[in-house]
Every structure is written in C-alpha cells, then in structure tokens.
Amino acid sequence: MLISKDENIKGSSVYVASLILKLFQKNKMKKLSLFEVNEELKKYDIINYRQTVFGLSLLYSTGIIDFKEPYIFLVN
C-alpha cells in the first residue's frame, strides 16, 4: 500500500518521491547527487533515511529514475 490512513502524509513515500521530482524540475537537470537530494529534503523536515530510500525506491520501481554511482538520473 502506498499510503496508509495511519501514516503521516508528509512522511509517505509518495510525498517524498514528489519532492524529489520537483527538485529535478527546479534544477532543470537530468542528474542529481544523493547529497543534493538529502539537502533538499531537509528543508521539508525529512531527515530519516528510511523515508528517502522508500521515495527513491518508488521512483526506481516505476521506471522514472535510474542509479549510476554517484548520481540519480531522470529517465526519459
């Protein structure tokens, strides 16, 4: 289940994934480092790596991003 009624929406994987996609859109770049993503998520009080990993996993499993060390690439 992507969102649980008992879960805080601001900590859900869907919300974190949307913030990551907004960062790609804001920077107008096709690659970001994990450090850039973490710095952006800190602005939204997302400091738990579990939330970040779930958000990235959601984007990867849907084929939106790909990983090539040390960057995260936006797939066309």
Side-chain angles (χ1 to χ4, degrees):
M1 178 164 25
L2 292 176
I3 298 176
S4 170
K5 66 180 175 97
D6 299 327
E7 182 182 15
N8 182 5
I9 190 72
K10 300 237 176 180
S12 71
S13 59
V14 176
Y15 179 72
V16 174
S18 71
L19 292 176
I20 295 169
L21 289 177
K22 284 182 186 178
L23 181 61
F24 274 110
Q25 188 177 34
K26 182 173 88 172
N27 289 345
K28 297 180 183 170
M29 298 179 69
K30 295 219 177 227
K31 74 176 182 178
L32 295 172
S33 73
L34 188 57
F35 300 110
E36 292 172 315
V37 171
N38 280 333
E39 286 300 315
E40 181 70 17
L41 293 178
K42 282 181 187 177
K43 295 176 186 175
Y44 297 95
D45 293 327
I46 298 171
I47 55 174
N48 190 346
Y49 285 107
R50 183 173 188 243
Q51 295 167 311
T52 305
V53 169
F54 284 159
L56 289 171
S57 298
L58 175 65
L59 293 173
Y60 180 75
S61 66
T62 55
I64 297 173
I65 63 168
D66 194 14
F67 299 102
K68 292 183 185 170
E69 289 183 19
Y71 296 103
I72 303 166
F73 285 90
L74 192 62
V75 177
N76 288 336

